Amino acid sequence: NVATNPNRTELRHNGTAPRVSADGNSDTGTGCPILGAYFKNYITFDGFFIDMAQAYPKTDSGVIRVEDATGIHFRNFEIKGTLTNMQSNPIIYRPQNAMSTVLSNFRAYDFQNDPTGSTVRQGALFSDQYGDKNFLIENFEIANTGRGMFLKGTAGTSWNYGRIRNGKVSNVTTCFQFHALDATNITTLEYNICQDVTSGSGIFISSEIAPARNLLIHHNTVARVNSSDINTNGAIYSRSAGFASGANNVEIRDNLIDINNGRYANSVDYGEITSFPQIMNYNAYYKNGASLSWSWNGVGYNSLSAWRTATGKEANSRILSSSPFVDLANGN
């Protein structure tokens, strides 16, 4: 109950709410980030609460921002979202050419963006990360923020790499999305829960302009994926360049995949790509009594054995005959 605790440390500013401009190419309002660093290094922000309705960001600013800075830490914090009308990149965390940023022990929730009037209509998300190098995001809860984390693009010659661990993302269209990964350093997604995927995908390797590389995804749980929406791709999804020429050192293993009983949603949806990650194995799949499906290169597969034969992967993966959870209905 941080938001109602009279002893909380709350930071506010007097910037006005964003509103999409008449031409749809920008937004008005005087919002801005409230915490961060710009060409300043080794600063720690520890123990704070932010209500976005009292500290509005604007297009592509973020609520917390790190730009051209090293060793900036944000610890023990909570950010309560609001409804905005930003033109593009409606986000909470926005790094740009940052090194060794840490976000640890935090909650962010209830942030939505209404894109009405925008020429690039975008829903809210927790992060757009550009050249976020050697980051650590750990011990967190993100809920009802449109989408979760997105390693989105580069900052000059800087690409993204870091570690995401021990967190829970829920009630979003996509929990974790990966693009613009570093050519040398590994990005790791480990020991996380992605829960209540409303459409889209749980773990999304989007590869807009560059194929996936140096990515380790292991020991994550994707649970309660919506299977009644035709727009739900799958628990794990890749498109575009995916694992095409130039992709290397991609490993997806030891993950637990749970999908609601229904018509749609593949366990793994690689239907739009022709290649495959280097290692994919030891994953477990469950669809609450419904038939499981996979896709690759425009072909659907309705059995794990057919999926194995086609891809040459997942020799040690398995289908679960019953729920592996303590109490799936109540999110345990």
Short mmCIF file of all heavy atoms in Angstrom, two decimals, residues 180-212:
data_model
loop_
_atom_site.label_atom_id
_atom_site.label_comp_id
_atom_site.label_asym_id
_atom_site.label_seq_id
_atom_site.Cartn_x
_atom_site.Cartn_y
_atom_site.Cartn_z
N ALA A 180 17.83 -5.75 -31.47
CA ALA A 180 19.04 -4.93 -31.40
C ALA A 180 19.98 -5.41 -30.30
O ALA A 180 20.42 -4.63 -29.45
CB ALA A 180 18.68 -3.45 -31.21
N LEU A 181 20.29 -6.70 -30.34
CA LEU A 181 21.16 -7.29 -29.32
C LEU A 181 22.63 -7.19 -29.73
O LEU A 181 22.98 -7.28 -30.90
CB LEU A 181 20.77 -8.75 -29.09
CG LEU A 181 19.33 -8.97 -28.62
CD1 LEU A 181 19.04 -10.46 -28.49
CD2 LEU A 181 19.05 -8.25 -27.32
N ASP A 182 23.47 -7.06 -28.72
CA ASP A 182 24.89 -6.83 -28.93
C ASP A 182 25.56 -8.00 -29.67
O ASP A 182 25.17 -9.16 -29.50
CB ASP A 182 25.57 -6.60 -27.58
CG ASP A 182 26.98 -6.08 -27.71
OD1 ASP A 182 27.13 -4.87 -27.99
OD2 ASP A 182 27.92 -6.86 -27.54
N ALA A 183 26.58 -7.70 -30.45
CA ALA A 183 27.27 -8.70 -31.26
C ALA A 183 28.22 -9.57 -30.46
O ALA A 183 28.63 -10.64 -30.93
CB ALA A 183 28.03 -8.03 -32.39
N THR A 184 28.56 -9.14 -29.25
CA THR A 184 29.55 -9.87 -28.45
C THR A 184 28.99 -10.34 -27.11
O THR A 184 29.19 -11.49 -26.71
CB THR A 184 30.78 -8.97 -28.19
OG1 THR A 184 31.31 -8.54 -29.44
CG2 THR A 184 31.84 -9.74 -27.41
N ASN A 185 28.31 -9.48 -26.41
CA ASN A 185 27.86 -9.77 -25.06
C ASN A 185 26.48 -10.42 -25.04
O ASN A 185 25.63 -10.14 -25.89
CB ASN A 185 27.81 -8.46 -24.25
CG ASN A 185 29.19 -7.83 -24.11
OD1 ASN A 185 30.01 -8.28 -23.32
ND2 ASN A 185 29.43 -6.78 -24.90
N ILE A 186 26.26 -11.27 -24.06
CA ILE A 186 25.03 -12.07 -23.97
C ILE A 186 23.96 -11.32 -23.19
O ILE A 186 24.23 -10.68 -22.18
CB ILE A 186 25.33 -13.42 -23.32
CG1 ILE A 186 26.24 -14.26 -24.22
CG2 ILE A 186 24.04 -14.19 -23.02
CD1 ILE A 186 26.68 -15.56 -23.61
N THR A 187 22.73 -11.43 -23.67
CA THR A 187 21.56 -10.98 -22.93
C THR A 187 20.86 -12.20 -22.35
O THR A 187 20.62 -13.18 -23.06
CB THR A 187 20.59 -10.21 -23.85
OG1 THR A 187 21.24 -9.01 -24.29
CG2 THR A 187 19.32 -9.85 -23.12
N THR A 188 20.52 -12.16 -21.07
CA THR A 188 19.94 -13.31 -20.38
C THR A 188 18.59 -12.96 -19.78
O THR A 188 18.45 -11.94 -19.09
CB THR A 188 20.88 -13.79 -19.26
OG1 THR A 188 22.16 -14.13 -19.81
CG2 THR A 188 20.30 -15.02 -18.56
N LEU A 189 17.61 -13.82 -20.05
CA LEU A 189 16.29 -13.74 -19.44
C LEU A 189 16.12 -15.01 -18.62
O LEU A 189 16.06 -16.11 -19.16
CB LEU A 189 15.20 -13.67 -20.52
CG LEU A 189 13.75 -13.62 -20.03
CD1 LEU A 189 13.45 -12.28 -19.38
CD2 LEU A 189 12.78 -13.88 -21.19
N GLU A 190 16.05 -14.88 -17.28
CA GLU A 190 16.09 -16.07 -16.44
C GLU A 190 15.22 -15.93 -15.19
O GLU A 190 15.14 -14.86 -14.59
CB GLU A 190 17.52 -16.39 -16.03
CG GLU A 190 18.22 -15.29 -15.24
CD GLU A 190 19.67 -15.60 -14.94
OE1 GLU A 190 20.15 -16.69 -15.30
OE2 GLU A 190 20.33 -14.74 -14.33
N TYR A 191 14.56 -17.02 -14.83
CA TYR A 191 13.80 -17.13 -13.58
C TYR A 191 12.69 -16.08 -13.46
O TYR A 191 12.51 -15.46 -12.41
CB TYR A 191 14.74 -17.05 -12.37
CG TYR A 191 15.96 -17.91 -12.48
CD1 TYR A 191 17.24 -17.37 -12.51
CD2 TYR A 191 15.84 -19.29 -12.60
CE1 TYR A 191 18.36 -18.17 -12.65
CE2 TYR A 191 16.96 -20.10 -12.74
CZ TYR A 191 18.22 -19.54 -12.76
OH TYR A 191 19.32 -20.33 -12.91
N ASN A 192 11.96 -15.88 -14.55
CA ASN A 192 10.87 -14.92 -14.55
C ASN A 192 9.53 -15.61 -14.77
O ASN A 192 9.47 -16.72 -15.31
CB ASN A 192 11.07 -13.88 -15.66
CG ASN A 192 12.34 -13.08 -15.47
OD1 ASN A 192 12.43 -12.21 -14.62
ND2 ASN A 192 13.36 -13.40 -16.27
N ILE A 193 8.46 -14.94 -14.38
CA ILE A 193 7.10 -15.38 -14.67
C ILE A 193 6.45 -14.36 -15.60
O ILE A 193 6.45 -13.16 -15.31
CB ILE A 193 6.26 -15.52 -13.39
CG1 ILE A 193 6.82 -16.63 -12.50
CG2 ILE A 193 4.80 -15.81 -13.73
CD1 ILE A 193 6.12 -16.74 -11.16
N CYS A 194 5.93 -14.84 -16.70
CA CYS A 194 5.14 -14.04 -17.63
C CYS A 194 3.72 -14.60 -17.57
O CYS A 194 3.48 -15.73 -17.98
CB CYS A 194 5.73 -14.16 -19.04
SG CYS A 194 4.66 -13.56 -20.35
N GLN A 195 2.80 -13.83 -17.04
CA GLN A 195 1.48 -14.37 -16.70
C GLN A 195 0.37 -13.51 -17.29
O GLN A 195 0.48 -12.29 -17.35
CB GLN A 195 1.33 -14.40 -15.17
CG GLN A 195 0.00 -14.92 -14.67
CD GLN A 195 -0.03 -14.99 -13.16
OE1 GLN A 195 0.83 -15.58 -12.54
NE2 GLN A 195 -1.03 -14.36 -12.56
N ASP A 196 -0.72 -14.17 -17.71
CA ASP A 196 -1.90 -13.49 -18.26
C ASP A 196 -1.54 -12.66 -19.48
O ASP A 196 -1.66 -11.43 -19.50
CB ASP A 196 -2.56 -12.62 -17.19
CG ASP A 196 -3.08 -13.46 -16.02
OD1 ASP A 196 -3.53 -14.58 -16.27
OD2 ASP A 196 -3.03 -12.98 -14.87
N VAL A 197 -1.08 -13.35 -20.51
CA VAL A 197 -0.80 -12.73 -21.80
C VAL A 197 -2.12 -12.56 -22.52
O VAL A 197 -2.76 -13.54 -22.90
CB VAL A 197 0.18 -13.59 -22.62
CG1 VAL A 197 0.45 -12.94 -23.97
CG2 VAL A 197 1.49 -13.79 -21.85
N THR A 198 -2.56 -11.32 -22.71
CA THR A 198 -3.91 -11.07 -23.19
C THR A 198 -4.06 -11.28 -24.70
O THR A 198 -5.15 -11.57 -25.18
CB THR A 198 -4.34 -9.64 -22.84
OG1 THR A 198 -3.41 -8.71 -23.41
CG2 THR A 198 -4.35 -9.45 -21.33
N SER A 199 -2.98 -11.09 -25.45
CA SER A 199 -2.91 -11.36 -26.88
C SER A 199 -1.43 -11.24 -27.25
O SER A 199 -0.60 -11.02 -26.38
CB SER A 199 -3.77 -10.39 -27.69
OG SER A 199 -3.28 -9.07 -27.58
N GLY A 200 -1.10 -11.36 -28.51
CA GLY A 200 0.31 -11.21 -28.87
C GLY A 200 1.13 -12.42 -28.50
O GLY A 200 0.90 -13.52 -29.00
N SER A 201 2.08 -12.26 -27.56
CA SER A 201 2.99 -13.36 -27.23
C SER A 201 3.62 -13.11 -25.87
O SER A 201 3.70 -11.98 -25.40
CB SER A 201 4.09 -13.47 -28.29
OG SER A 201 4.70 -12.21 -28.50
N GLY A 202 4.10 -14.18 -25.25
CA GLY A 202 4.77 -14.05 -23.97
C GLY A 202 6.18 -13.54 -24.13
O GLY A 202 6.54 -12.48 -23.63
N ILE A 203 7.00 -14.32 -24.85
CA ILE A 203 8.38 -13.94 -25.14
C ILE A 203 8.48 -13.74 -26.64
O ILE A 203 8.20 -14.65 -27.42
CB ILE A 203 9.37 -15.02 -24.67
CG1 ILE A 203 9.26 -15.19 -23.15
CG2 ILE A 203 10.79 -14.67 -25.06
CD1 ILE A 203 10.04 -16.38 -22.60
N PHE A 204 8.87 -12.55 -27.06
CA PHE A 204 8.80 -12.13 -28.45
C PHE A 204 10.21 -11.75 -28.93
O PHE A 204 10.79 -10.79 -28.45
CB PHE A 204 7.84 -10.94 -28.55
CG PHE A 204 7.58 -10.42 -29.94
CD1 PHE A 204 7.99 -11.09 -31.07
CD2 PHE A 204 6.90 -9.22 -30.10
CE1 PHE A 204 7.74 -10.60 -32.34
CE2 PHE A 204 6.63 -8.70 -31.35
CZ PHE A 204 7.06 -9.39 -32.48
N ILE A 205 10.73 -12.52 -29.88
CA ILE A 205 12.02 -12.19 -30.51
C ILE A 205 11.67 -11.53 -31.83
O ILE A 205 11.41 -12.19 -32.82
CB ILE A 205 12.86 -13.46 -30.69
CG1 ILE A 205 13.08 -14.11 -29.32
CG2 ILE A 205 14.20 -13.13 -31.34
CD1 ILE A 205 13.60 -15.51 -29.38
N SER A 206 11.62 -10.19 -31.82
CA SER A 206 10.99 -9.48 -32.94
C SER A 206 11.93 -9.19 -34.11
O SER A 206 11.49 -9.16 -35.26
CB SER A 206 10.35 -8.18 -32.44
OG SER A 206 11.28 -7.38 -31.75
N SER A 207 13.21 -8.95 -33.83
CA SER A 207 14.22 -8.88 -34.90
C SER A 207 13.80 -7.99 -36.06
O SER A 207 13.86 -8.40 -37.22
CB SER A 207 14.52 -10.30 -35.41
OG SER A 207 14.88 -11.14 -34.37
N GLU A 208 13.39 -6.77 -35.78
CA GLU A 208 12.89 -5.89 -36.84
C GLU A 208 13.91 -5.67 -37.95
O GLU A 208 13.59 -5.78 -39.13
CB GLU A 208 12.47 -4.54 -36.26
CG GLU A 208 11.12 -4.54 -35.58
CD GLU A 208 11.17 -5.00 -34.13
OE1 GLU A 208 12.24 -5.47 -33.69
OE2 GLU A 208 10.15 -4.87 -33.43
N ILE A 209 15.13 -5.30 -37.60
CA ILE A 209 16.13 -5.02 -38.63
C ILE A 209 17.39 -5.87 -38.48
O ILE A 209 18.25 -5.82 -39.34
CB ILE A 209 16.52 -3.53 -38.63
CG1 ILE A 209 17.12 -3.12 -37.28
CG2 ILE A 209 15.32 -2.66 -38.97
CD1 ILE A 209 17.70 -1.71 -37.27
N ALA A 210 17.48 -6.63 -37.41
CA ALA A 210 18.67 -7.44 -37.19
C ALA A 210 18.26 -8.78 -36.57
O ALA A 210 17.39 -8.83 -35.72
CB ALA A 210 19.64 -6.73 -36.26
N PRO A 211 18.89 -9.88 -37.00
CA PRO A 211 18.54 -11.19 -36.44
C PRO A 211 18.98 -11.32 -34.99
O PRO A 211 19.86 -10.59 -34.52
CB PRO A 211 19.32 -12.17 -37.34
CG PRO A 211 20.45 -11.37 -37.88
CD PRO A 211 19.93 -9.97 -38.04
N ALA A 212 18.34 -12.24 -34.30
CA ALA A 212 18.67 -12.47 -32.89
C ALA A 212 20.08 -13.00 -32.75
O ALA A 212 20.58 -13.74 -33.60
CB ALA A 212 17.68 -13.46 -32.30
#
